[in-house]
Amino acid sequence: AEPALSYLWLDVGLGYHFDGDYPAAQAAYSKALEVPATRAMAMYQLACTNALQGNIDAAIKWLGSSLDAGFEEDGYLINDSDLDALREDPRFQVLLATRHLQ
């Protein structure tokens, strides 16, 4: 897939995400997974949309994958309200600890 298109898929996903259409957002984010330049952010956004839907196990999995793929926006981990459903989960605390954010 073309890198420019992968950024477009992220933008499309964000539009759906902000409208609360999480399945459509996830479909768009999945397209952005195909390109290394957008893979980590797409994984992060998949974590967010899963968390917002109460899919905690999937959210934790995607969040861990995003960190493994090089996601570096530590401020998002601390402040993003999309992740609020994860904050009390011990696995989330472990992910924060690996980034020295706890």
Side-chain angles (χ1 to χ4, degrees):
E2 294 272 334
L5 287 179
S6 69
Y7 285 101
L8 179 61
W9 281 117
L10 277 179
D11 288 344
V12 168
L14 286 170
Y16 285 125
H17 188 145
F18 293 139
D19 285 344
D21 188 347
Y22 304 129
Q26 289 170 327
Y29 295 145
S30 293
K31 296 283 190 181
L33 289 173
E34 298 172 10
V35 176
T38 54
R39 187 168 295 135
M41 180 57 82
M43 290 173 172
Y44 175 80
Q45 295 301 344
L46 285 164
C48 289
T49 53
N50 275 284
L52 288 165
Q53 294 175 93
N55 301 326
I56 305 306
D57 290 340
I60 293 287
K61 176 189 144 301
W62 280 116
L63 189 58
S65 295
S66 74
L67 297 176
D68 291 344
F71 185 78
E72 296 180 347
E73 302 293 333
D74 290 342
Y76 287 17
L77 298 174
I78 296 167
N79 299 312
D80 193 339
S81 62
D82 287 356
L83 301 177
D84 285 352
L86 308 181
R87 299 206 183 277
E88 299 302 318
D89 191 295
R91 297 169 295 175
F92 182 77
Q93 298 302 318
V94 168
L95 290 173
L96 288 182
T98 63
R99 295 298 278 263
H100 307 288
L101 298 174
Q102 188 179 14

